[in-house]
């Protein structure tokens, strides 16, 4: 039998499921988490990893995910997040490498500015990510709660 590898796409699907369940039971502003929708930018299609929606189904935050071997403030990751957020008309984005998540303030033509950071208590790696994924799910619920408070102000 082939070995199925847990990758960033699988993690994104798990996070969407966790986020949808959590939002439905605990949040007033944020209503759902989606992903893999194609976004036309110029002549190419980009795929935001996750999109966090409000009760009217407006996208409020785009999330770019990487495994821990990429820093959550990696320049390519931030550029990718920035392009997608600007194309969606968003002024915030979230980058997350499993260990560290960062909420960024985004403006056209400017460098992203850190608004808030979250971190796991114990750092994980690509090699042990699957075994520790539950920790990321718990952190995602905290992130969703904090985003709800942030957006309410």
């Amino acid at each position: 039998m082939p070995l199925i590898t847990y990758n960033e796409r699988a993690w994104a699907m798990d996070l969407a499921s966790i986020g949808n369940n959590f939002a439905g039971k605990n949040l007033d502003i944020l209503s759902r988490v989606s992903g893999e929708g194609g976004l036309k930018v110029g002549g190419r299609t980009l795929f935001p990893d996750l999109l966090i929606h409000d009760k009217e189904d407006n996208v409020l935050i785009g999330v770019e995910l990487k495994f821990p071997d990429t820093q959550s403030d990696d320049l390519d990751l931030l550029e990718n997040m920035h392009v997608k957020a600007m194309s969606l008309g968003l002024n915030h984005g979230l980058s997350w490498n499993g260990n560290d998540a960062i909420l960024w303030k985004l403006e056209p033509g400017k460098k992203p500015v850190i608004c808030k950071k979250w971190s796991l208590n114990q750092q994980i790696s690509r090699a042990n990510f699957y075994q520790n994924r539950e920790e990321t799910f718990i952190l995602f619920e905290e992130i969703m709660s904090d985003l709800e408070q942030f957006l309410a102000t």
Side-chain angles (χ1 to χ4, degrees), residues 52-68:
I52 300 174
H53 302 255
D54 68 9
K55 296 288 186 195
E56 288 77 43
D57 211 28
N58 299 304
V59 175
L60 299 180
I61 302 280
V63 182
E64 288 301 307
L65 301 171
K66 290 291 180 191
F67 271 177

Side-chain angles (χ1 to χ4, degrees), residues 28-110:
D28 296 320
I29 296 172
L30 304 178
S31 67
R32 73 183 187 99
V33 180
S34 67
E36 285 302 309
L39 173 63
K40 281 285 193 194
V41 178
R44 60 188 180 152
T45 303
L46 303 176
F47 297 91
D49 294 326
L50 295 175
L51 298 171
I52 300 174
H53 302 255
D54 68 9
K55 296 288 186 195
E56 288 77 43
D57 211 28
N58 299 304
V59 175
L60 299 180
I61 302 280
V63 182
E64 288 301 307
L65 301 171
K66 290 291 180 191
F67 271 177
D69 44 357
T70 300
Q71 295 298 312
S72 56
D73 61 356
D74 176 81
L75 292 179
D76 289 335
L77 176 62
L78 292 181
E79 182 178 330
N80 194 17
M81 178 193 63
H82 199 269
V83 167
K84 292 173 187 176
M86 292 295 103
S87 298
L88 289 165
L90 305 177
N91 58 8
H92 290 88
L94 185 83
S95 62
W96 189 11
N97 72 351
N99 285 316
D100 303 303
I102 305 173
L103 178 64
W104 301 90
K105 170 82 169 130
L106 305 172
E107 295 183 52
K110 293 187 178 180

